[in-house]
Amino acid sequence: MKVIEIHGSFGIKNLVVADRPEPRPGPGEVMVRMKAASLNYRDLLTVQGMYNPKQPLPLIPCSDGTGEVVETGPRVTRVKVGDRVATTFFQGWISGEPTFEKVSTTLGGPLDGVLSEYMVLREDGVVQVPEHLSDEQAATLPCAALTAWSALVTQGHIRPGDSVLVLGTGGVAMCALQFAKVHGAKVILISSSDEKLERAKLIGADQGINYTNVPQWGKAVRDLTGGNGVDHIVEVGGAGTLAESLQAIRIGGQISLIGVLAGPQKEMNIRPILMKNVRVQGIFVGNREGFEAMNRAVAFHKIKPIVGQTFPLGQVQEALHLMAGRGHFGKLCLAFQNE
Ligand SMILES: NC(=O)c1ccc[n+]([C@@H]2O[C@H](COP(=O)([O-])OP(=O)(O)OC[C@H]3O[C@@H](n4cnc5c(N)ncnc54)[C@H](OP(=O)(O)O)[C@@H]3O)[C@@H](O)[C@H]2O)c1
């Protein structure tokens, strides 16, 4: 079967098509013919060797994919041949609290990922996808959508009338916007682009701020909430944006720390965390139980994840370059033309 792997050394240019033996499902395993994948910022970092420089190569990258179950091994009960499924980000984190063992089971590094004609996975490592979604839309669920869901719902306990600050217009951000809106929350969104702000408003963002024009957006966000600050922040910037987020959060609010797009390290004043009684909650995607709960909501509300652009699988390098240049809006997807 054909796969795309990082071969020789790290770098987008070292993604090559390779042949690997077609796997067969053993007891408790399912074989999936892959149809679509979505790209996460983590996949870009992995390919560039910046996520885990010690990752042995070759590696099939990317954690998030969808496909059709084409064969099941003995004693499989969760899915059947013909089911449309998505991969889970952590193959071994089904429920409960995370442990080192559970979170060491991620696809796309250390385990081979989804850019593969076929995958054999434990039946526990796949989830049925909502019927109304295309393969590409469903491929956005395992990481970006579940991360946003974990931040706002599982860990954030969002309620109608809450206010949410969303940073940027990337994959996690757009999912957070959609989940916040179906929970009846007001959303303030910041972006580097006025055009992207307008697109986000069409999806439901109530107010937008251009963070390039307004570098001290923390106070601007507080002003938009009558001086109180927002209840939740979906923090994808990290150390480079946290000081502004601490300006924007209300006393007792929750900052869900998700990403490090603006850097992982910076000297900063942490006093507002205690003085404002802020809950800073690290988020690492989420478990399968959360994924299934999210899917029920996605199906009930007929939410369609925002796919900004879909590339044929063979153009994965172009797609990653687009992500690196922040030219995208919402999710970037790959379609496997294997009909
Ligand atoms: N912890 C987890 O479980 C988890 C899960 C998924 C992702 N992540 C992390 O979360 C981050 C976002 O991931 P993603 O896949 O959504 O990335 P993405 O799709 O590449 O999102 C990038 C967007 O973020 C916005 N952004 C960048 N720098 C910013 C800044 N300084 N202030 C505000 N917004 C900024 C930009 O939006 P505009 O173009 O609109 O300005 C940019 O287009 C990454 O660091 C990723 O590794 C973590």
Side-chain angles (χ1 to χ4, degrees):
M1 66 170 183
K2 299 280 181 225
V3 304
I4 292 189
E5 62 183 31
I6 315 167
H7 199 87
S9 55
F10 292 108
I12 295 178
K13 67 177 183 346
N14 295 324
L15 282 171
V16 298
V17 179
D19 282 308
R20 296 229 187 152
E22 202 171 285
R24 299 243 72 87
E29 292 179 336
V30 299
M31 180 163 164
V32 182
R33 184 158 67 108
M34 300 308 291
K35 296 278 188 76
S38 83
L39 295 178
N40 291 293
Y41 194 73
R42 169 183 183 268
D43 303 320
L44 173 65
L45 296 179
T46 299
V47 171
Q48 292 171 326
M50 289 155 69
Y51 192 80
N52 174 14
K54 293 185 184 154
Q55 168 70 48
L57 299 179
L59 172 78
I60 304 174
C62 297
S63 57
D64 296 7
T66 42
E68 182 187 340
V69 175
V70 289
E71 197 180 329
T72 56
R75 296 192 290 284
V76 166
T77 54
R78 291 190 67 242
V79 291
K80 59 185 185 317
V81 169
D83 282 354
R84 250 169 22 111
V85 293
T87 53
T88 60
F89 183 83
F90 298 108
Q91 288 288 293
W93 187 13
I94 310 301
S95 61
E97 295 293 314
T99 62
F100 178 73
E101 287 73 25
K102 290 178 185 177
V103 301
S104 303
T105 58
T106 46
L107 295 178
L111 307 180
D112 271 327
V114 302
L115 302 190
S116 182
E117 228 176 312
Y118 294 97
M119 291 187 82
V120 164
L121 298 161
R122 304 270 321 150
E123 65 167 333
D124 276 333
V126 296
V127 163
Q128 312 233 15
V129 297
E131 273 175 25
H132 72 286
L133 298 183
S134 68
D135 293 325
E136 289 77 23
Q137 288 166 337
T140 70
L141 299 172
C143 177
L146 181 54
T147 300
W149 178 266
S150 297
L152 290 176
V153 183
T154 316
Q155 301 274 357
H157 310 291
I158 190 170
R159 291 172 305 183
D162 279 359
S163 53
V164 177
L165 171 64
V166 172
L167 272 61
T169 54
V172 174
M174 287 301 96
C175 294
L177 167 58
Q178 291 179 298
F179 291 146
K181 292 315 293 181
V182 297
H183 280 85
K186 163 179 158 158
V187 175
I188 302 171
L189 185 138
I190 66 168
S191 170
S192 57
S193 152
D194 288 342
E195 188 237 318
K196 288 183 179 181
L197 283 173
E198 288 312 310
R199 287 174 77 179
K201 282 183 185 164
L202 294 176
I203 297 162
D206 297 280
Q207 282 150 327
I209 298 171
N210 185 318
Y211 64 81
T212 309
N213 301 341
V214 186
Q216 279 157 358
W217 44 263
K219 180 174 180 316
V221 170
R222 228 174 45 229
D223 289 346
L224 289 175
T225 55
N228 288 328
V230 289
D231 300 294
H232 307 265
I233 301 183
V234 180
E235 232 305 348
V236 294
T241 48
L242 190 54
E244 287 304 313
S245 286
L246 285 168
Q247 290 285 327
I249 196 74
R250 76 157 162 83
I251 291 180
Q254 173 165 323
I255 299 178
S256 294
L257 216 50
I258 292 169
V260 290
L261 289 167
Q265 276 183 12
K266 193 175 176 185
E267 200 162 297
M268 66 173 294
N269 177 10
I270 60 162
R271 207 172 283 124
I273 298 176
L274 38 139
M275 300 297 280
K276 290 177 89 171
N277 221 32
V278 173
R279 183 172 185 227
V280 178
Q281 174 66 53
I283 302 288
F284 199 10
V285 188
N287 59 28
R288 195 189 78 202
E289 206 171 64
F291 194 165
E292 289 170 328
M294 173 184 77
N295 279 355
R296 288 193 290 275
V298 168
F300 181 78
H301 291 289
K302 296 275 184 290
I303 297 171
K304 290 191 175 163
I306 308 300
V307 175
Q309 219 170 319
T310 299
F311 290 76
L313 181 59
Q315 289 179 20
V316 58
Q317 296 191 1
E318 285 85 337
L320 286 170
H321 281 300
L322 185 66
M323 175 173 266
R326 293 188 184 165
H328 63 297
F329 182 89
K331 292 298 292 181
L332 289 173
C333 288
L334 300 168
F336 295 43
Q337 278 133 349
N338 54 4
E339 290 303 329

